[in-house]
Amino acid sequence: MACSDTSDLPVEKEAASTLYVIDQNEARKIPPLFLISVNTLRSQSGLNDLDYSASLNAAAFTHALDMSLQNRPWHFGSDRSSPYFRVKRAGYQGALLGENISESFETPINVIKSWTVDESTRANLLDPDADQLGVGWKQDPDGRIWWVVLVGSSNKQSLAPENQPSELTEEAVAIPNSNG
């Protein structure tokens, strides 16, 4: 995966003092913007394009809202749910391969670019087994945005354990390719 140049990604030019606000019109633009940007990055690495998954989207939106309510970016829900459990609960039939999260005031393009710089979050976006993506967000009244991207494979079975752990133990927290 030798692709560190993200200059071909669409770039939004905004004044640094302008608060990025997600209104209804902007919300319609975000899913295709994420998909085009991630697929451009994947294409530069010789990988297949991703398609949207309604169930991954549902799980991503649910977790973005939950992170906002908890006021912290992390991979576990307020109900102690893991990313694996959340996608299963949302009806995803494939395997979750990775979860990227972010708390920022930034635009989708800037968030994606930040994920391309970090090796582990970049690996999630460039997972060669991936064929589906879900994106969700929640913007707080102060403008802060909680971003979640889930990457999955419709061709693999879930790696999630059958039962959700009752508490967050060392074993429960060890989730490969779930970085933020």
Side-chain angles (χ1 to χ4, degrees), residues 25-122:
N25 185 47
E26 194 65 24
R28 284 190 286 272
K29 297 175 185 177
I30 292 172
L33 184 61
F34 259 90
L35 195 61
I36 289 167
S37 298
V38 171
N39 283 338
T40 298
L41 182 65
R42 290 177 64 84
S43 176
Q44 291 171 348
S45 295
L47 297 168
N48 61 297
D49 283 353
L50 303 180
D51 294 318
Y52 269 115
S53 161
S55 52
L56 288 178
N57 280 342
F61 269 105
T62 300
H63 190 53
L65 174 61
D66 192 42
M67 288 192 307
S68 170
L69 294 172
Q70 294 182 73
N71 197 34
R72 67 176 170 178
W74 79 318
H75 294 286
F76 291 91
S78 57
D79 62 355
R80 297 183 175 164
S81 59
S82 70
Y84 292 122
F85 185 76
R86 287 193 303 276
V87 299
K88 184 176 179 183
R89 181 171 54 200
Y92 190 61
Q93 300 296 309
L96 176 66
L97 302 176
E99 175 181 71
N100 288 357
I101 60 173
S102 179
E103 171 196 13
S104 74
F105 290 87
E106 298 191 67
T107 65
I109 293 300
N110 291 336
V111 170
I112 293 167
K113 283 186 176 183
S114 73
W115 286 338
T116 65
V117 174
D118 178 80
E119 186 178 320
S120 59
T121 54
R122 183 181 180 88

